[in-house]
Amino acid sequence: MSISSIISIANSGLSVAQTRISLASTNISNAETTGYTAKTADVTTRTVGGVGTGVQVIGTGSDVDEKLHESLVSAISTASYDATIASYLETISAALGTTDDGGDLTNALSDLQTALSDAIADPADTSAADALTEALATWASSVNDITDSIQSVRTSADQSISESVESVNDLLNQIDDLNDQITKATANGTSTSDLEDQRRAALEELGQYMDINTFTTSAGAVQIYTSSGTALLTSSVHELSYSAGGTLTSDSVYASDGSGSISGIMIDGKDVTASLTGGTIGALVELRDETLPGIQDEIDALSDAVQSAVNAAANAATPVPPPNSLTGSASVAATDAIVGSGTLTVVLTDSDGEVTASADIDLSGCSTMQDVLDELNAVSGISASLDSDGHLVVTATDSDAGVILTGDGTLDGTGFNSAMGMYDILTGSAGTLGVSETLSTQGMAVAAVASTTVGDAAYAVDDTTALQAIYNAMDDSQSFAAAGNLSSTKTSISGYAQMIIDDTADRAETASDTATTSSATSDTLSTSFSNTYGVNVDEETARLTTYQQDYEAAAQILTTAQAMWDSLITMMN
């Protein structure tokens, strides 16, 4: 072997050692850099005519198993989905309270039943009557508060969807830019490993928002699709678009056909809301459109049960004393078509509650609300009309007289008083539930109508038939249709409230456990990936020592060869 060959081989060894020392130093300095993978040099023997002439670096980079990274991205998506579901359910569960510690709903129901019991026990006690009215108002407020909480959380989820869509678009554009840089570097034969690290980190962040599938082209670019195959990034970015729906209410819904008040998430003009599964966005859509509306349906069923029990009993009774004027809560128009049946009895009483006049109206002859008004106005001593809100107003023309509406008459199959809300105590629905404004002017209907015969007492003194009926209805088992996550069941109103609270608490706990498990799985995969492809400082330090020794050995060979060359020159001279 010639001296020049020895020098060439030594120089190649120095070059390789320098590259390896540089890579090891870079690895150590980036040990804490997120997404960074340890870089190595691909070294091969340099040959000329089949004879080894040294070593050379043919490339640097990270030999990453992309399938393992895809599994990591999938695990990140699952963990993000589970964490979002758990967080929102915990918020609603906290708003509902627990059956052990008592929440606003269960406490309000308990207080209402206590107030009913007190009013029944001493009907002459005005403070008990006032406490009952206050308990009803508190119940309505509790229902409205939890409804507001549910809709507030839905609104938060909707706004978070909009923010997440913006983040997804930013990441897609970032990955698209990295694709361009990688393909150019590949074409130029330069290292792409650092760019690929950045792209993997961006893919992991993208996975937090949704399930994705990826495909790497022969040029090194990554294409991204939703789990259902909708393109997100091909040769260009397919951006998502979404506009938050503002403040959501129970009536705010998303419909895939575009008929709902909540818009869809669009890609290239196509609604892809249903296909964006997994990740934060998938969880938020599910919470906004299914989970939270389901809990609202349960609250609605509970609210309707109480309202029906209260109003049904009241509309079968009369206030004591009967008021001079009655105003219903239902809004109608005189031209509204109706199907009347049965008999509506109009009773007038004096200040002592004695029947002074009584008239029967055959509702079977009525086909419009105007017919009903005409029949009422035909009764001597009665004036009937619709106020500006379409509420039926029935007034005794004698200011000292009281008026009672009773009988078996129905409108469209519903008792007349219930259909028109003549003695309603609770009005509105969950979110707008409240004590009827007419309670302060016409009083609460508490007594059964004892007689409609002139000269008889219209009601019994201290009768609390209606209050007892409300108490019994709330205490007895009744049928509840399937709603939200609850199957159809038969239980008391209080029992149903407890079912809502317990079921939501159970779901929140299960979701929390699931989130903990999926987070641990994601962390394990991340640790495995990091251990396999990340920087081990101890190992890199040991390699750095070895590479430095390699460098020194190559330098020593070069020094020796140089000395030999110098000796040869001296001999020749």
Side-chain angles (χ1 to χ4, degrees):
M1 180 181 291
S2 66
I3 294 176
S4 60
S5 295
I6 294 172
I7 292 174
S8 176
I9 292 171
N11 278 327
S12 71
L14 283 174
S15 178
V16 168
Q18 284 176 325
T19 300
R20 282 174 163 170
I21 289 171
S22 176
L23 287 175
S25 298
T26 300
N27 287 341
I28 292 171
S29 64
N30 283 282
E32 300 300 325
T33 301
T34 302
Y36 182 85
T37 57
K39 307 302 184 293
T40 58
D42 292 331
V43 179
T44 186
T45 301
R46 186 176 63 195
T47 61
V48 176
V51 178
T53 59
V55 290
Q56 62 182 346
V57 175
I58 60 173
T60 62
S62 307
D63 186 19
V64 174
D65 181 351
E66 296 300 341
K67 289 296 182 182
L68 176 60
H69 187 256
E70 288 176 10
S71 298
L72 173 58
V73 172
S74 177
I76 289 173
S77 179
T78 299
S80 182
Y81 169 89
D82 290 339
T84 303
I85 294 290
S87 175
Y88 276 74
L89 280 176
E90 286 169 1
T91 298
I92 293 300
S93 181
L96 285 170
T98 66
T99 52
D100 292 334
D101 300 332
D104 288 346
L105 283 177
T106 52
N107 289 340
L109 277 176
S110 178
D111 291 345
L112 177 55
Q113 288 183 298
T114 299
L116 280 167
S117 181
D118 291 343
I120 292 169
D122 191 355
D125 186 355
T126 56
S127 63
D130 290 342
L132 176 56
T133 301
E134 183 177 348
L136 286 163
T138 299
W139 162 252
S141 178
S142 298
V143 171
N144 294 338
D145 286 347
I146 189 60
T147 296
D148 289 345
S149 294
I150 293 171
Q151 299 311 317
S152 176
V153 173
R154 285 187 73 211
T155 299
S156 175
D158 190 55
Q159 292 172 342
S160 293
I161 290 172
S162 179
E163 294 167 1
S164 297
V165 163
E166 291 182 8
S167 297
V168 166
N169 288 336
D170 289 343
L171 287 166
L172 289 174
N173 282 287
Q174 179 184 341
I175 295 170
D176 185 43
D177 182 59
L178 289 168
N179 276 345
D180 290 341
Q181 295 180 59
I182 289 170
T183 54
K184 289 176 182 178
T186 300
N188 294 332
T190 57
S191 175
T192 62
S193 56
D194 286 335
L195 293 171
E196 290 179 36
D197 285 346
Q198 295 175 44
R199 189 170 66 184
R200 289 189 201 95
L203 286 170
E204 290 173 22
E205 190 173 351
L206 181 61
Q208 293 178 16
Y209 295 101
M210 66 178 75
D211 284 336
I212 58 172
N213 292 325
T214 58
F215 169 75
T216 303
T217 68
S218 57
V222 164
Q223 295 183 350
I224 307 173
Y225 301 85
T226 67
S227 58
S228 62
T230 300
L232 295 170
L233 174 59
T234 51
S235 58
S236 61
V237 174
H238 302 268
E239 288 195 348
L240 286 67
S241 64
Y242 180 70
S243 297
T247 301
L248 303 188
T249 68
S250 299
D251 295 327
S252 302
V253 296
Y254 161 75
S256 58
D257 61 3
S259 62
S261 56
I262 300 175
S263 62
I265 303 172
M266 312 296 288
I267 296 180
D268 298 333
K270 175 185 176 182
D271 189 343
V272 296
T273 306
S275 67
L276 300 181
T277 58
T280 301
I281 292 179
L284 291 171
V285 169
E286 181 179 324
L287 286 160
R288 184 197 65 186
D289 298 339
E290 299 176 23
T291 307
L292 296 173
I295 296 175
Q296 183 64 63
D297 288 343
E298 297 165 8
I299 296 298
D300 290 346
L302 175 64
S303 176
D304 290 347
V306 174
Q307 187 172 7
S308 295
V310 170
N311 289 344
N315 280 302
T318 178
V320 176
N324 177 255
S325 180
L326 293 173
T327 301
S329 64
S331 294
V332 296
T335 55
D336 285 351
I338 54 101
V339 177
S341 67
T343 301
L344 172 65
T345 302
V346 183
V347 178
L348 295 176
T349 66
D350 60 18
S351 58
D352 294 325
E354 183 177 307
V355 178
T356 59
S358 179
D360 291 336
I361 297 174
D362 183 4
L363 293 177
S364 63
C366 299
S367 59
T368 67
M369 276 306 303
Q370 186 60 55
D371 293 338
V372 175
L373 291 171
D374 292 342
E375 290 288 346
L376 285 168
N377 283 315
V379 175
S380 177
I382 289 294
S383 171
S385 63
L386 298 179
D387 65 15
S388 59
D389 293 319
H391 301 150
L392 176 61
V393 180
V394 179
T395 305
T397 54
D398 180 354
S399 60
D400 293 328
V403 61
I404 299 173
L405 298 180
T406 188
D408 62 3
T410 66
L411 297 180
D412 297 326
T414 301
F416 182 89
N417 286 340
S418 293
M420 301 308 299
M422 299 311 297
Y423 296 102
D424 278 356
I425 295 175
L426 292 173
T427 59
S429 58
T432 60
L433 191 65
V435 174
S436 175
E437 295 178 358
T438 62
L439 216 59
S440 61
T441 57
Q442 65 189 44
M444 185 183 297
V446 296
V449 178
S451 177
T452 60
T453 302
V454 174
D456 286 353
Y459 52 85
V461 176
D462 293 339
D463 179 25
T464 57
T465 297
L467 299 184
Q468 188 64 58
I470 295 172
Y471 187 92
N472 291 341
M474 294 184 64
D475 196 48
D476 293 343
S477 289
Q478 58 179 284
S479 295
F480 288 88
N485 198 51
L486 299 179
S487 303
S488 59
T489 187
K490 189 170 185 179
T491 185
S492 67
I493 287 175
S494 294
Y496 192 72
Q498 291 174 350
M499 287 178 64
I500 295 174
I501 293 169
D502 289 343
D503 179 70
T504 304
D506 289 344
R507 293 168 71 186
E509 183 177 1
T510 298
S512 179
D513 291 342
T514 301
T516 298
T517 300
S518 59
S519 177
T521 300
S522 176
D523 290 344
T524 299
L525 280 172
S526 179
T527 300
S528 175
F529 186 86
S530 178
N531 289 341
T532 304
Y533 302 109
V535 176
N536 184 310
V537 175
D538 291 338
E539 291 180 358
E540 292 297 326
T541 301
R543 289 193 185 102
L544 185 59
T545 300
T546 301
Y547 298 152
Q548 288 171 338
Q549 291 171 347
D550 291 345
Y551 183 90
E552 292 170 359
Q556 183 61 49
I557 292 173
L558 187 60
T559 299
T560 301
Q562 185 63 51
M564 291 172 63
W565 182 264
D566 291 342
S567 297
L568 179 61
I569 294 297
T570 299
M571 290 172 61
M572 291 177 65
N573 290 332

